[in-house]
Amino acid sequence: REIQRACGAAAANHKHSPFFFIGGAGISQGSIPLAEDIIEECKQEVTRQGRSSIPAPQSKVPIDLYSYWFELAYPQPADRQAYLEKLINGRPISHANLRLAHILISGCITKLVVTTNFDTLLAEAVHLFGEDVINCDHPATSARIALDRNEIQILQVHGNHMFYDCCNLKDEIVQGKPSQLGSLLGGILQERSPLVVGYSGWAGDVIVSALEQHL
């Protein structure tokens, strides 16, 4: 009711939405494996390579486990990109992405989504319903995002699976290219409140860091 009331007041005063969505892996669950599933697959890949004696990392923090096993299994960025592409290409659009696309197209809440997902299922869902989308999938394209636009906009803070420079490992997620998006996220948070769907938050990633700084 609070969301509906705030959106109604903004529309009545001819103002832009006071919200934006933060979307995580949960909206693609069922079509794309979650991080915990990728960790297990990477462990199996390390074993297939004959390195079953590799010790487990001391840290139990999810981002540390994910980064550790992903880099062991696929040490080259191009190999990691190829692995993600194999996981994602041709996968059906999840129900959550279809429903979120409906909400974005209606414009009743917001037309802006910030996501950590590597897949393009949300953009595909929007296109499926005959609508266009502005997609920012690399820090160099962050200038495409503007809060005063009426088009549907999707900001993929870690890049997407079609490019080898997407950010997978902890050093990339915490300190690398996504940090260039920090000021953009800070600007969004100054103007709008986030509605979080399917994202539990990874300590140190660009979204959590922006939220912490803003709070």
Side-chain angles (χ1 to χ4, degrees), residues 20-24 113-119 135-142 145 154-160 165-168 172-174 176-182 184-185 188 199 205-208 210:
F20 73 101
F21 284 116
I22 292 178
V113 180
V114 175
T115 179
T116 55
N117 293 353
F118 297 117
D119 65 73
N135 197 56
C136 170
D137 52 22
H138 189 278
T141 63
S142 60
I145 302 297
I154 301 174
L155 172 60
Q156 292 183 276
V157 294
H158 295 161
N160 75 46
D165 58 354
C166 57
C167 298
N168 303 288
E172 298 168 338
I173 290 172
V174 174
K177 296 180 181 66
S179 63
Q180 301 174 30
L181 298 170
L184 174 59
L185 283 174
I188 294 173
Y199 173 68
D205 82 354
V206 65
I207 290 179
V208 169

Side-chain angles (χ1 to χ4, degrees), residues 110-130:
T110 182
K111 291 191 172 185
L112 174 63
V113 180
V114 175
T115 179
T116 55
N117 293 353
F118 297 117
D119 65 73
T120 56
L121 296 185
L122 181 55
E124 291 172 25
V126 173
H127 288 142
L128 184 66
F129 298 125

Side-chain angles (χ1 to χ4, degrees), residues 179 182-183 185-186 189-190 206-215:
S179 63
S183 59
L185 283 174
L189 288 165
Q190 289 288 342
V206 65
I207 290 179
V208 169
S209 297
L211 288 171
E212 287 177 342
Q213 184 174 2
H214 182 67
L215 291 170

Side-chain angles (χ1 to χ4, degrees), residues 5 19 22 27 29-30 36 48 70 72 109 119-120 123 125 136 138 141 143 150 160 168 174 187 197-198 201:
R5 189 177 182 88
F19 300 111
I22 292 178
I27 64 174
Q29 187 175 8
E36 59 195 36
R48 282 193 292 269
F70 205 173
L72 275 178
I109 298 178
D119 65 73
T120 56
C136 170
H138 189 278
T141 63
N150 290 319
N160 75 46
N168 303 288
V174 174
V197 288

